[in-house]
């Protein structure tokens, strides 16, 4: 049976607490940024967006026809957006998306 | 003497033919008024809705059916915008030679599509969508936009071009898949 070592256990506990505090600080220290993608002239503008994990993207439909925003594997999708309608999502991972109404319209999100 | 008479006759026929041709050409190049352009725009959009409605009746291909639904929704949106604009401008769409030709051509196309069997319909519909959108894009860019006088009508037509272009790309993609 191992003998209880207060110094060794104390150091382990301190390191664990420091790591947890550091982790919390680095997460709390980042303020998510807002990004806007306009849907205009049948294109996502910008079509390629680089962002940080947790950033928020708002899509705004500026066209006279309805669009939607659908992840390529359909893991998430917006409802149909009529003219001037908006939809926002917190982005947690990179991916490609398209408009399921106009399947030739595509965009990408790259998490740095 | 006979030779002279024959030459005069041929010259007369040729002269008449040239006059008829030049009149026809003048009719084709006659500028359209905004009321006539509005009529052409509505008819061109309505035609594609009619083609799509036939596709919904005759096709069992999910991609073709999705495309047809998009055509109905988008072209109806354009008609609604055009109707709202002409109402605001107090313009009544005016029937004209160009819109009449679009109506007559669409009637023939619908007859052709209706005669197709289940096996051949999808290809015929998609092929027509490609050629129809190419024709309409050409007309909007070369005739309707340059000849429209009202700035809002011109702006609406300019907004429609990328929609038609995206429809064309979509139809061309389907064309590659449907043999």
């Amino acid at each position: 049976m191992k003998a209880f070592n207060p110094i060794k256990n104390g150091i382990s506990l301190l390191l664990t607490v420091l790591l947890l505090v550091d982790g919390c600080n680095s997460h709390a220290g980042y303020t998510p940024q807002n990004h806007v993608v306009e849907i205009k002239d049948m294109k996502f503008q910008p079509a390629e967006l680089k962002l940080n994990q947790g950033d928020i993207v708002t899509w705004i439909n500026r066209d006279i026809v309805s669009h939607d925003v659908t992840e390529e594997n359909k893991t998430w999708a917006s409802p149909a957006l009529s003219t001037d309608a908006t939809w926002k999502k917190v982005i947690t991972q990179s991916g490609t998306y398209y408009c399921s109404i106009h399947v030739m319209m595509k965009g990408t999100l790259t998490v740095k | 003497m006979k030779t002279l008479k024959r030459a005069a006759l041929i010259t007369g026929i040729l002269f008449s033919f040239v006059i008829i041709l030049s009149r026809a050409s003048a009719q084709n190049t006659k500028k359209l008024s905004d009321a006539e352009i509005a009529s052409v725009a509505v008819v061109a959009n309505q035609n594609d809705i009619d083609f799509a409605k036939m596709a919904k009746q005759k096709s069992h291909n999910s991609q073709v059916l999705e495309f047809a639904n998009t055509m109905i929704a988008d072209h109806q949106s354009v008609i609604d915008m055009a109707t709202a604009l002409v109402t605001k401008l107090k313009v009544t769409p005016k029937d004209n030679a160009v819109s009449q030709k679009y109506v007559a051509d669409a009637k023939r196309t619908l007859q052709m599509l209706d005669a197709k069997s289940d096996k051949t319909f999808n290809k015929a519909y998609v092929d027509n969508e490609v050629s129809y959108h190419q024709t309409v894009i050409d007309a909007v860019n070369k005739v309707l936009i340059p000849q429209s006088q009202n700035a809002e009508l011109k702006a609406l037509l300019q907004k429609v071009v990328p929609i038609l272009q995206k429809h064309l790309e979509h139809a061309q993609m389907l064309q590659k898949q449907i043999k």
Side-chain angles (χ1 to χ4, degrees):
Chain A
M1 186 175 172
K2 279 188 176 178
F4 178 74
N5 184 337
I7 296 172
K8 196 178 171 184
N9 284 336
I11 289 169
S12 297
L13 181 66
L14 184 64
L15 282 173
T16 307
V17 168
L18 283 173
L19 280 170
L20 282 171
V21 168
D22 185 54
C24 289
N25 278 347
S26 59
H27 188 71
Y30 179 69
T31 307
Q33 302 294 300
N34 289 298
H35 305 267
V36 174
V37 175
E38 279 196 315
I39 310 173
K40 193 175 172 188
D41 296 334
M42 307 298 278
K43 290 176 187 163
F44 293 108
Q45 299 186 32
E48 294 175 15
L49 184 64
K50 287 182 180 170
L51 68 176
N52 289 306
Q53 190 177 46
D55 282 358
I56 300 157
V57 179
T58 302
W59 284 266
I60 303 175
N61 182 12
R62 300 292 191 204
D63 275 338
I64 59 173
V65 295
S66 291
H67 294 292
D68 68 19
V69 186
T70 303
E71 195 273 331
E72 66 175 339
N73 297 314
K74 299 186 179 175
T75 56
W76 51 262
S78 75
L81 306 172
S82 55
T83 304
D84 292 331
T86 64
W87 185 72
K88 61 174 69 176
K89 175 168 176 57
V90 176
I91 302 304
T92 54
Q93 59 185 28
S94 299
T96 301
Y97 64 89
Y98 67 107
C99 169
S100 74
I101 304 166
H102 309 94
V103 293
M104 308 305 287
M105 291 173 58
K106 289 173 183 162
T108 60
L109 301 167
T110 306
V111 173
K112 293 181 220 169
Chain B
M1 193 64 181
K2 265 188 175 179
T3 313
L4 272 176
K5 273 186 180 175
R6 190 174 293 166
L9 184 66
I10 291 169
T11 307
I13 290 168
L14 279 175
F15 185 66
S16 305
F17 190 61
V18 167
I19 288 174
I20 289 166
L21 272 182
S22 59
R23 278 184 184 166
S25 175
Q27 278 180 347
N28 286 339
T29 55
K30 186 189 160 200
K31 279 188 84 174
L32 296 170
S33 67
D34 282 354
E36 289 170 327
I37 288 170
S39 171
V40 173
V42 170
V43 166
N45 281 283
Q46 187 58 52
N47 284 349
D48 208 48
I49 290 174
D50 294 342
F51 302 151
K53 283 181 177 171
M54 180 160 286
K56 289 191 75 174
Q57 285 174 12
K58 295 196 67 155
S59 178
H60 303 287
N61 179 308
S62 61
Q63 286 182 302
V64 169
L65 292 171
E66 281 172 17
F67 177 81
N69 281 331
T70 298
M71 293 307 103
I72 291 170
D74 285 2
H75 287 292
Q76 190 58 55
S77 291
V78 176
I79 289 175
D80 291 347
M81 292 286 291
T83 305
L85 180 60
V86 294
T87 305
K88 179 186 159 190
L89 299 174
K90 295 178 180 161
V91 169
T92 305
K94 190 179 170 192
D95 201 16
N96 58 86
V98 180
S99 57
Q100 284 165 2
K101 184 179 183 314
Y102 273 107
V103 169
D105 288 349
K107 194 176 171 187
R108 278 193 291 275
T109 301
L110 286 168
Q111 285 169 348
M112 178 275 289
L113 291 174
D114 197 29
K116 295 289 175 188
S117 67
D118 281 3
K119 284 183 181 173
T120 56
F121 176 83
N122 289 330
K123 185 176 178 342
Y125 171 66
V126 170
D127 285 350
N128 180 63
E129 284 301 289
V130 170
S131 62
Y132 186 73
H133 279 88
Q134 283 169 333
T135 302
V136 174
I137 289 168
D138 207 44
V140 174
N141 281 328
K142 292 179 182 168
V143 180
L144 304 189
I145 291 174
Q147 293 188 7
S148 58
Q149 297 295 307
N150 181 276
E152 287 181 87
L153 179 60
K154 196 182 278 280
L156 175 61
L157 292 166
Q158 285 165 337
K159 258 192 157 324
V160 170
V161 174
I163 299 171
L164 298 172
Q165 191 63 43
K166 206 53 79 177
H167 290 174
L168 173 61
E169 289 170 26
H170 193 163
Q172 285 170 328
M173 182 196 77
L174 291 175
Q175 198 175 36
K176 285 178 188 164
Q177 294 169 355
I178 296 167
K179 302 291 176 194

